[in-house]
């Protein structure tokens, strides 16, 4: 079975990529695993969908567990015709309709950007792995099923590559907490052309994104 929000089994993810994997948390079934990747200890954890959910986990990981590098891997919907399903995007910046960063920033517009060091490591890892990646900005939407007719044209006009639902929140938290964050997204669907991926294709494309993330995390 497959729905827009349920695809891979997180347990399978950890076992595929990490050695000596141990489940470390399962509160509300939000699974977290620690293992090692090429000898370096590393953790993976679900965040749920959307900025509010991801912000809870990111904040607790940073404040209570001392996490210094947050790499989001996930899907996004392309909004430009020159971005295609299965493309891997490195989100150097994230615009949003969420109010979270304004609240963090006294009502002002915060520039939600990726950590340059992590972004550079991701680009270098992609080059080593010979995986083409595209760098650019994404839009972190509060609504998956949104009502706005004019959103798409605004995104296109401002050069945004794709829509997802977490990066801007993650970047705001990272800035405030003094840690590094990066979002790497695979295009799972196309909002303009309605091109879709099969679950097999998704698996390959998602594998590439995870390899880039893992290689960046240990670089
Ligand atoms: N909107 C928001 N997030 C997404 C989408 C989308 O169309 N596709 C994948 N993640």
């Amino acid at each position: 079975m497959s729905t827009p929000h349920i695809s891979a089994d997180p347990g399978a993810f950890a076992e595929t990529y990490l050695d000596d994997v141990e489940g470390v948390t399962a509160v509300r079934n939000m699974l977290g695993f620690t293992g090692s990747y090429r000898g370096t200890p590393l953790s993976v954890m679900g965040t749920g969908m959307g900025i509010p959910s991801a912000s809870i986990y990111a904040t607790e990981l940073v404040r209570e567990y001392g996490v210094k590098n947050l790499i989001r891997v996930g899907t996004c919907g392309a909004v430009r015709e020159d971005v295609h399903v299965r493309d891997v995007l490195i989100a150097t910046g994230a615009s949003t309709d969420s109010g979270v960063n304004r609240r963090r920033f006294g009502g002002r517009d915060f520039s939600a950007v990726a950590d340059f060091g992590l972004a550079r490591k991701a680009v270098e890892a992609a080059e080593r792995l010979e995986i083409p990646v595209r760098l650019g900005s994404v839009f972190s939407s509060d609504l998956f099923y949104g009502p706005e007719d004019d959103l798409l044209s605004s995104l296109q006009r401002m050069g945004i590559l794709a829509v997802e639902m977490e990066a801007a929140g993650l970047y705001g938290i990272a800035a405030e907490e003094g840690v590094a964050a990066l979002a790497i997204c695979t295009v799972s669907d196309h909002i303009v052309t309605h091109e879709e991926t099969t679950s097999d294709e998704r698996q390959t494309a998602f594998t590439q994104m995870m390899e880039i993330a893992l290689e960046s995390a240990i670089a």
Side-chain angles (χ1 to χ4, degrees):
M1 190 188 124
S2 173
T3 72
H5 295 132
I6 305 166
S7 54
D9 171 352
F13 165 65
E15 282 157 24
T16 304
Y17 293 104
L18 302 183
D19 298 320
D20 306 320
V21 180
E22 226 180 292
V24 291
T25 182
V27 175
R28 300 185 186 214
N29 257 351
M30 194 62 79
L31 307 181
F33 299 89
T34 294
S36 69
Y37 181 73
R38 298 188 195 274
T40 303
L42 192 140
S43 299
V44 296
M45 188 177 175
T47 63
M49 284 167 277
I51 289 174
S53 177
S55 296
I56 289 171
Y57 296 105
T59 303
E60 292 180 8
L61 287 171
V62 170
R63 288 190 187 164
E64 311 301 331
Y65 292 93
V67 169
K68 301 272 185 252
N69 293 286
L70 300 160
I71 303 179
R72 152 167 159 70
V73 290
T75 59
C76 60
V79 299
R80 291 161 56 105
E81 298 208 6
D82 61 349
V83 179
H84 304 284
V85 291
R86 296 179 291 280
D87 283 359
V88 179
L89 309 182
I90 293 174
T92 50
S95 299
T96 187
D97 54 8
S98 159
V100 292
N101 288 335
R102 283 195 179 162
R103 290 183 63 179
R104 291 181 191 285
F105 202 43
R108 302 172 186 92
D109 285 338
F110 175 74
S111 150
V113 293
D115 178 75
F116 178 72
L118 276 183
R120 178 157 64 182
K121 284 177 186 168
V123 171
E124 288 168 354
E127 281 169 358
R128 279 198 305 279
L129 296 163
E130 298 183 4
I131 299 168
V133 289
R134 180 128 181 209
L135 279 78
S137 70
V138 297
F139 184 79
S140 304
S141 175
D142 264 352
L143 296 174
F144 186 86
Y145 299 107
E148 306 104 311
D149 293 334
D150 63 336
L151 177 60
L152 186 59
S153 58
S154 296
L155 299 180
Q156 290 169 335
R157 199 176 66 250
M158 298 304 276
I160 284 163
L161 303 177
V163 184
E164 52 83 67
M165 300 186 75
E166 292 84 15
L170 200 61
Y171 292 172
I173 289 169
E176 193 164 27
E177 300 291 333
V179 300
L182 176 69
I184 306 173
C185 300
T186 300
V187 177
S188 61
D189 48 274
H190 205 297
I191 294 167
V192 181
T193 64
H194 303 293
E195 192 187 356
E196 282 180 357
T197 42
T198 66
S199 50
D200 276 358
E201 287 173 325
R202 282 190 213 182
Q203 196 133 3
T204 317
F206 293 4
T207 299
Q208 294 184 327
M209 161 180 69
M210 288 171 199
E211 284 170 0
I212 294 169
L214 291 165
E215 292 290 332
S216 326
I218 67 163

